[in-house]
Amino acid sequence: MQKNRHDQAIALENNQFTNVMETLSDCMETISHESSCVCKQASSTLLSEALLALDKAKILANKQMERLNYLENLALTDELTGLHNRRGFTKAMERTLANARRYDEKGVLLFIDLNAFKPINDTYGHDAGDEVLRQTSRLLMDNIRDNDYAGRLGGDEFAVLLVRTSWDNGVTRAKALDRALNRYYTSWEGRMIGIGASVGVQVYDGSSSSADLLKHADQAMYHAKRQGEGPKLYLEKVQYG
């Protein structure tokens, strides 16, 4: 994964601080060899104080950058599940599509909607519904690679971006994830609650836009939901360009 802009800023500031510290240290060494005793002592004291102040400033700047990173991650993360929220997932998708355009890559987007989620809330309560959402998120993360992305788009809607994968391989992985979702049960107060989901699958390439990609995957998901009993996965292969 590439460094984000805050990590790059921290690295740049660290280099700048290091350069200044080295310059001041060189000045102290020069003074110690060339100045008179009185001048040498005063200059050395001033430079020592400057080095100390600079070091404190570096620590403060790093803390501020870490705080900015934390706040940015907070803004891109779903608090309940720990997945990307819609904003975070969209940003990840746009980065991925930019790479697809640059390197002629392909991949697959999965749009996932839980089945009969409202009755879970109505029957067992919202705490049970929250647990189902958390368990769904864990299941998604356990079934994707480190370079893939999973997000909660809102409510009981999720998305998974399978990066740099062919249509055939993406479909195989989507079917495996579909089976896992529709066979999974979570325990709640001594009862077993089935998750169940409808999954829409859409391929992407370098000509895809994030808005169109989400739209087609969403449409595929609704096709899957309308199929009734049986498999809850629908494959959409809209060609772009």
Side-chain angles (χ1 to χ4, degrees), residues 9 28 33-34 38 41 51-52 70 122 150-151 159 168 173 186 190 195 226-227 238-239:
M28 289 184 68
H33 287 95
E34 298 179 0
V38 175
Q41 184 177 0
L51 285 169
L52 182 59
Y70 170 76
D122 294 342
D168 290 339
R173 294 175 60 197
T186 184
I195 290 181
R226 286 196 294 267
Q227 289 178 173
V238 176
Q239 296 294 338

Side-chain angles (χ1 to χ4, degrees), residues 1-203:
M1 299 291 291
Q2 291 183 345
K3 290 183 176 180
N4 61 36
R5 61 178 181 275
H6 293 317
D7 293 331
Q8 293 172 338
I10 289 174
L12 178 61
E13 289 198 1
N14 282 340
N15 289 336
Q16 291 172 336
F17 277 121
T18 300
N19 291 338
V20 173
M21 295 279 279
E22 290 177 350
T23 301
L24 287 174
S25 297
D26 291 341
C27 289
M28 289 184 68
E29 186 175 354
T30 300
I31 289 171
S32 66
H33 287 95
E34 298 179 0
S35 302
S36 64
C37 290
V38 175
C39 180
K40 183 189 303 182
Q41 184 177 0
S43 298
S44 179
T45 300
L46 288 174
L47 284 171
S48 295
E49 291 175 352
L51 285 169
L52 182 59
L54 189 62
D55 194 46
K56 289 180 178 178
K58 176 183 177 180
I59 293 172
L60 179 60
N62 282 338
K63 287 182 177 179
Q64 290 174 334
M65 285 296 178
E66 289 171 2
R67 177 64 177 170
L68 287 174
N69 267 333
Y70 170 76
L71 291 175
E72 182 176 47
N73 288 333
L74 200 63
L76 302 177
T77 302
D78 177 60
E79 184 178 1
L80 177 65
T81 64
L83 299 181
H84 291 295
N85 58 20
R86 178 177 285 271
R87 181 185 175 198
F89 188 81
T90 300
K91 288 174 73 72
M93 189 164 52
E94 288 173 349
R95 289 195 303 270
T96 300
L97 293 178
N99 285 335
R101 286 188 289 273
R102 183 175 180 182
Y103 301 111
D104 192 26
E105 296 174 347
K106 295 183 179 181
V108 170
L109 174 66
L110 280 58
F111 198 108
I112 301 162
D113 185 81
L114 300 188
N115 297 326
F117 181 70
K118 186 177 183 299
I120 293 175
N121 282 329
D122 294 342
T123 303
Y124 303 104
H126 288 280
D127 287 343
D130 287 349
E131 181 60 21
V132 168
L133 295 175
R134 283 190 289 265
Q135 290 293 332
T136 299
S137 303
R138 294 190 189 105
L139 189 146
L140 294 179
M141 291 304 297
D142 288 343
N143 285 275
I144 63 174
R145 304 165 302 177
D146 290 341
N147 61 322
D148 295 328
Y149 297 98
R152 181 186 176 205
L153 303 184
D156 60 346
E157 292 183 338
F158 296 83
V160 170
L161 193 64
L162 304 177
V163 180
R164 291 192 295 277
T165 188
S166 67
W167 169 252
D168 290 339
N169 183 55
V171 168
T172 298
R173 294 175 60 197
K175 288 180 178 178
L177 188 54
D178 177 71
R179 287 193 298 271
L181 285 166
N182 285 289
R183 293 176 180 175
Y184 190 82
Y185 285 82
T186 184
S187 175
W188 179 257
E189 296 183 347
R191 299 182 180 183
M192 301 302 291
I193 302 174
I195 290 181
S198 298
V199 182
V201 186
Q202 169 59 40
V203 67

